[in-house]
Amino acid sequence: MTTRANFFATRTGIIAVGAVLGVIAPVLQKLGNPGNMGICVACFERDWAGGLGLHRVAVVQYLRPEIIGFVLGAMIAAYLFREFRGRAGSAPIVRFFLGVFALIGALVFLGCPWRALFRLAGGDGNAIFGLLGLVTGIYIGTLFFKAGYNLGRSQTTYPAVGWLLPTLFVGFLILMFIFPQIPGQGQSGILFYSTTGPGSQHAPLLVSLGLGLIVGFICQRSRFCTMGAFRDLLLFRQIHLLSGVI
């Protein structure tokens, strides 16, 4: 157990995680996800909002199972390696609005940092400008950090708090089975489904869920983070996470 747990903390381990992510994304694309995308957390969350009826842009409405897999895969890894602990973060309002603006920026670019890398791999030169903007923003963030700004430490709380999000996503998965997509129809029960556009393009549900579980599991074990990779390079001159990105 100890050997497996420590492997992902090594340089070889983080490179292996990057390689697995680099393979899974085009596999998902090949199996039905939108072209030039594969995995994009920002785009997936946009589609989720549509699938729940929080917006009515008909071409981007689908509860992408990969997101469920990310959450449950990370939870499974945390339990297997005895790292599952309920935590409550500090400054929730600030974190919420920072997240809002981060997602707006990602969707203006048409992708999160992961998709920027996959777009670059696919030969899309616009990704270069997106990554330059990302690195510039991270650099500005490091200046705030050096000046003493922080949002405070998260605090350990009741285990039940840590179960809230995974339980919610299990509920969403059940809803997808209760109200499956009906060909040619934009709504099934309380869920919305795109019939055209990017939201209508997706890999089979169980395949998406399974690959999402793998991503969530290995990212929890390795702490893989694209923005963290550039932060560590700029702030500490460390390339551990960046080696996985590369």
Side-chain angles (χ1 to χ4, degrees), residues 4-187:
R4 290 200 299 270
N6 290 337
F7 169 73
F8 291 106
T10 66
R11 179 66 56 81
T12 302
I14 196 69
I15 291 174
V17 170
V20 171
L21 294 174
V23 170
I24 285 179
V27 166
L28 282 169
Q29 178 183 329
K30 180 69 174 178
L31 294 176
N33 277 18
N36 202 12
M37 182 168 141
I39 294 176
C40 176
V41 179
C43 302
F44 285 178
E45 291 179 349
R46 172 205 63 199
D47 293 355
W48 261 77
L52 294 173
L54 300 179
H55 71 67
R56 299 303 170 89
V57 182
V59 293
V60 282
Q61 294 178 318
Y62 180 62
L63 265 64
R64 295 196 176 270
E66 293 92 341
I67 294 289
I68 301 173
F70 296 163
V71 173
L72 298 185
M75 184 197 70
I76 291 169
Y79 259 103
L80 287 178
F81 293 90
R82 300 180 181 179
E83 294 182 352
F84 186 89
R85 293 184 296 276
R87 293 186 181 94
S90 59
I93 297 299
V94 177
R95 293 180 188 273
F96 173 78
F97 279 102
L98 287 175
V100 168
F101 286 110
L103 198 60
I104 289 173
L107 291 177
V108 167
F109 169 68
L110 299 180
C112 68
W114 281 16
R115 188 180 180 187
L117 294 170
F118 297 138
R119 288 175 64 173
L120 181 63
D124 186 347
N126 290 322
I128 296 174
F129 298 100
L131 289 172
L132 288 175
L134 176 68
V135 173
T136 301
I138 294 170
Y139 172 72
I140 294 172
T142 63
L143 297 180
F144 277 82
F145 182 79
K146 290 179 180 179
Y149 179 81
N150 70 81
L151 295 176
R153 298 177 63 87
S154 62
Q155 303 294 324
T156 301
T157 184
Y158 300 105
V161 175
W163 270 96
L164 289 176
L165 188 65
T167 302
L168 178 65
F169 277 79
V170 169
F172 285 135
L173 181 61
I174 293 173
L175 283 179
M176 294 191 73
F177 286 109
I178 295 176
F179 303 111
Q181 186 172 18
I182 301 173
Q185 294 190 23
Q187 187 172 358

